[in-house]
Amino acid sequence: MQLTIPSSLDQFIGSVKDIDLSSRQQQTIGLITAATVVTSYTFYRLLFKGPSDGCPTVPYRDPIKGSSAEYRKDPRAFVEKWTKALGPVYRVHLYGRMHTIISGRYVREIFMNNSFDFHTGIEKRFDMKTMADISHSDVPINDTRTSVVQYLTPHLKHFTPRAVENLHLGLKDVLGTMEDGSVEIQHMYPLVQRMVARASASVFVGEKLSQDLDLIASFQDITTDLGSMIRFENYWLETFSFLMKLKMWAIGKFSSKVKKHRTTMLRSLTPEIDLRLSCAKDDPNWQKPNDILQELIDHAEVPRGRDIYTHIVNEIIVLIFASIHTTSENGTIVLYRILQNPELINELLEEQQETIEHAGLDPNGKSNEVFTFDTIKGMVKLDSFCREALRLRSEFYELAHTNISKQNVVLSNGTIIPPDGDVLINSWYNQQSNSWEEMRKDGEDRAQFKPFRYLNTGYPSTKVSDDYLVFGEGRRACPGRWFAIQEIKTIIALLIRDYKVRPTSDILFPTSLDTAMPFGSASFEKRN
């Protein structure tokens, strides 16, 4: 096998041209890359084959690409074939290195073990902090988790009214006044993304700043803008981890899009931070705003060499990465299931009206005040619908984890995960396969969409389990899932209350690795 260095270098340099690098910067990266490719190839000839622990391995011929091409061609067929042939734990050479695939009951041994870290695993292929020019030491992941666990989740009841109002504003931003009676939307993601960006901004930076449309645009677009700069059309780059890190570093340092979003956030947040610091110092009667921004100001531990403005912008950007795109994507998936099953809208609308009426509110009024924390929580059919829609996400080998300890981790079946060893969770098997008897109930087809499967089962859409890994599992499961689900349920509740929604094309759910989001257009017509 030959490694065609000039071709790869041409591809690499071409891939960074849209990062707005100068010629000198491109030349520097090219020289570094040339040395790296040659050195990396030497090491890749001695690829990690896994310890001698008896764990079966999917056979492959290419020592660089491994099984990546076969997996990408038809991920479901690949996962189904090798899980059936090799069992719940096996190894696959993907993305330029060996991964241990974990399925069934063994997933708990990964999620419950502090030696495994999700963020380290995911950042090997997609390091959003580096791409946003944020040092990992400046914003440790525990800071973000603390912001959600201590400042967001306990105050959801308080935040609900502003979140609902801003979800409604986001809806109007996209659909407009609809004076002509109806509007057709080609894809649901921009609609959901705008609504989530509006609502999240009102909670993260306060109600005043959530009216800053330039700031809202950055909340909405920064994650997708950065994601679009990591293109996997040819997929050769991901087999060389150092080159991936180099490209992500170049994006963070030189991309005009990154600079634009950071400048927008600094321009919007700096005067507000100054105002709050001044009021806290000089006005004894000042009432602190109740939002995440104020908590970040109060508890700021500014790293050496940084100012408080840049530090808080970095914290906010990481919160955006952790919330807006994932919630928007999940909300889009749920909305497309609604479009795929429009006959269920009336049943969900009836539940909404009954829940609001039971709370002593007017179900026929158009006020958004009827969507309280308790009424949203009380829509249990909608909740089951959400859980089922998210369970059937287009996912296969997901939730990358890395052993960050300095010791081998030995699973209960004897499989050894060495230090820096990589793990992928077989999400498709645990969430959708009919072969896993431990989770199959009464002969139900787990590959089928059954909207009320979880009604009255004690499994709301926020409850993690072995067969529902959308938010991870264990103590480090996503701490923001209660806010995310509340937003998603409110989006659906607002839409079906105020609009007649119908598909205007076939609704297509993906089966590839490119995206988990479905496709299809829909029309929205105001209800009388």
Side-chain angles (χ1 to χ4, degrees):
M1 187 203 73
Q2 293 182 340
L3 183 66
T4 311
I5 294 175
S7 174
S8 295
L9 289 181
D10 288 343
Q11 286 180 298
F12 179 77
I13 295 301
S15 74
V16 296
K17 284 182 178 178
D18 62 348
I19 308 173
D20 304 319
L21 302 179
S22 69
S23 296
R24 183 181 296 271
Q25 288 165 342
Q26 288 188 31
Q27 291 170 6
T28 300
I29 290 176
L31 290 173
I32 295 172
T33 301
T36 303
V37 169
V38 175
T39 304
S40 298
Y41 179 55
T42 301
F43 284 103
Y44 272 97
R45 290 177 67 97
L46 302 173
L47 280 171
F48 160 65
K49 298 293 184 180
S52 301
D53 55 5
C55 183
T57 299
V58 174
Y60 62 95
R61 294 181 179 180
D62 190 327
I64 300 296
K65 298 179 181 178
S67 299
S68 295
E70 183 186 355
Y71 174 53
R72 290 189 183 284
K73 183 178 180 180
D74 191 339
R76 175 168 177 168
F78 184 93
V79 172
E80 193 168 11
K81 171 185 175 180
W82 291 111
T83 304
K84 182 178 180 180
L86 302 180
V89 179
Y90 54 96
R91 292 195 171 99
V92 178
H93 188 311
L94 295 173
Y95 317 131
R97 60 191 183 277
M98 194 68 72
H99 292 77
T100 304
I101 307 301
I102 307 295
S103 314
R105 62 184 176 85
Y106 296 101
V107 298
R108 295 188 183 187
E109 298 185 34
I110 304 301
F111 289 119
M112 306 294 183
N113 191 324
N114 289 332
S115 294
F116 292 103
D117 185 68
F118 168 72
H119 299 283
T120 301
I122 203 69
E123 285 165 1
K124 289 185 177 182
R125 297 187 67 227
F126 200 59
D127 187 346
M128 293 296 277
K129 286 184 184 177
T130 297
M131 292 168 66
D133 197 21
I134 299 173
S135 168
H136 285 259
S137 60
D138 284 359
V139 187
I141 191 61
N142 287 338
D143 284 8
T144 307
R145 190 173 186 88
T146 296
S147 298
V148 175
V149 171
Q150 295 186 9
Y151 312 147
L152 174 60
T153 303
H155 300 103
L156 274 184
K157 281 192 176 183
H158 174 81
F159 290 143
T160 295
R162 75 175 74 164
V164 171
E165 184 59 33
N166 279 276
L167 286 169
H168 189 252
L169 289 174
L171 183 59
K172 291 172 65 177
D173 286 345
V174 178
L175 297 183
T177 59
M178 296 182 66
E179 294 178 356
D180 295 334
S182 66
V183 64
E184 184 172 5
I185 302 294
Q186 295 303 309
H187 197 279
M188 301 304 107
Y189 180 76
L191 169 64
V192 177
Q193 185 188 35
R194 183 68 174 190
M195 296 175 74
V196 171
R198 279 270 204 176
S200 299
S202 73
V203 173
F204 292 173
V205 298
E207 295 181 86
K208 182 175 77 173
L209 284 178
S210 69
Q211 307 311 307
D212 181 335
L213 296 185
D214 288 337
L215 184 62
I216 292 300
S218 279
F219 269 63
Q220 178 177 332
D221 297 333
I222 185 170
T223 305
T224 49
D225 279 351
L226 294 186
S228 68
M229 285 186 273
I230 295 291
R231 298 191 302 251
F232 291 111
E233 286 92 342
N234 298 316
Y235 299 111
W236 71 270
L237 189 62
E238 66 184 0
T239 62
F240 298 94
S241 61
F242 181 84
L243 297 186
M244 283 294 297
K245 290 179 181 178
L246 182 60
K247 179 173 182 179
M248 290 186 284
W249 172 83
I251 289 171
K253 293 299 181 185
F254 306 118
S255 168
S256 61
K257 290 182 179 180
V258 173
K259 292 177 181 178
K260 175 186 174 183
H261 288 305
R262 293 188 64 89
T263 298
T264 297
M265 292 188 190
L266 274 171
R267 184 174 59 242
S268 297
L269 290 173
T270 295
E272 182 66 15
I273 294 170
D274 280 338
L275 176 63
R276 295 188 185 193
L277 289 172
S278 176
C279 289
K281 179 180 179 182
D282 302 327
D283 185 356
N285 298 316
W286 179 62
Q287 296 293 317
K288 289 184 179 182
N290 191 344
D291 52 43
I292 303 298
L293 175 60
Q294 187 59 46
E295 298 291 351
L296 294 177
I297 294 172
D298 289 345
H299 299 90
E301 296 182 5
V302 182
R304 181 178 298 179
R306 298 284 190 272
D307 57 74
I308 189 171
Y309 314 106
T310 300
H311 174 64
I312 288 180
V313 164
N314 288 343
E315 295 267 15
I316 293 293
I317 289 175
V318 175
L319 276 172
I320 291 171
F321 290 161
S323 59
I324 292 180
H325 173 69
T326 52
T327 301
S328 300
E329 183 176 85
N330 286 332
T332 300
I333 290 169
V334 174
L335 179 52
Y336 270 112
R337 287 294 181 184
I338 292 282
L339 293 172
Q340 190 185 48
N341 299 273
E343 71 280 359
L344 297 175
I345 291 178
N346 285 339
E347 188 170 355
L348 293 174
L349 189 57
E350 286 177 10
E351 179 193 52
Q352 177 186 138
Q353 293 171 332
E354 291 171 0
T355 303
I356 292 170
E357 187 174 34
H358 183 73
L361 302 169
D362 180 8
N364 298 313
K366 290 297 181 182
S367 170
N368 293 328
E369 294 178 359
V370 297
F371 294 116
T372 67
F373 176 85
D374 291 323
T375 56
I376 295 168
K377 184 178 180 180
M379 298 175 193
V380 292
K381 286 186 177 180
L382 178 56
D383 192 86
S384 174
F385 193 104
C386 290
R387 183 180 178 98
E388 181 73 346
L390 298 182
R391 181 184 70 82
L392 290 172
R393 280 175 54 101
S394 178
E395 292 184 327
F396 304 97
Y397 296 147
E398 304 288 341
L399 299 171
H401 283 69
T402 296
N403 178 4
I404 59 173
S405 74
K406 296 182 179 180
Q407 299 178 338
N408 289 339
V409 174
V410 183
L411 303 185
S412 60
N413 69 342
T415 299
I416 297 172
I417 314 294
D420 200 42
D422 295 307
V423 163
L424 289 169
I425 303 299
N426 191 341
S427 295
W428 175 83
Y429 181 78
N430 272 47
Q431 295 185 162
Q432 301 184 38
S433 174
N434 285 319
S435 301
W436 190 17
E437 295 297 335
E438 294 176 45
M439 285 296 163
R440 193 174 179 187
K441 299 176 182 178
D442 301 324
E444 291 182 354
D445 184 356
R446 289 168 45 76
Q448 179 187 7
F449 178 71
K450 185 179 178 181
F452 304 133
R453 184 189 299 271
Y454 294 101
L455 192 61
N456 301 321
T457 63
Y459 281 87
S461 54
T462 54
K463 186 172 183 177
V464 297
S465 61
D466 288 354
D467 65 338
Y468 182 69
L469 302 171
V470 175
F471 299 109
E473 195 173 19
R475 291 176 296 171
R476 289 165 295 167
C478 174
R481 60 189 184 275
W482 289 276
F483 182 51
I485 290 297
Q486 185 186 66
E487 286 184 297
I488 293 169
K489 291 176 69 174
T490 307
I491 287 169
I492 302 302
L494 281 168
L495 282 171
I496 65 175
R497 183 194 69 171
D498 294 344
Y499 300 92
K500 297 177 181 178
V501 186
R502 64 179 182 84
T504 55
S505 71
D506 291 337
I507 304 303
L508 303 176
F509 283 81
T511 57
S512 69
L513 299 179
D514 295 332
T515 180
M517 286 189 289
F519 299 88
S521 59
S523 69
F524 295 80
E525 180 183 349
K526 276 188 176 180
R527 290 188 182 273
N528 295 327

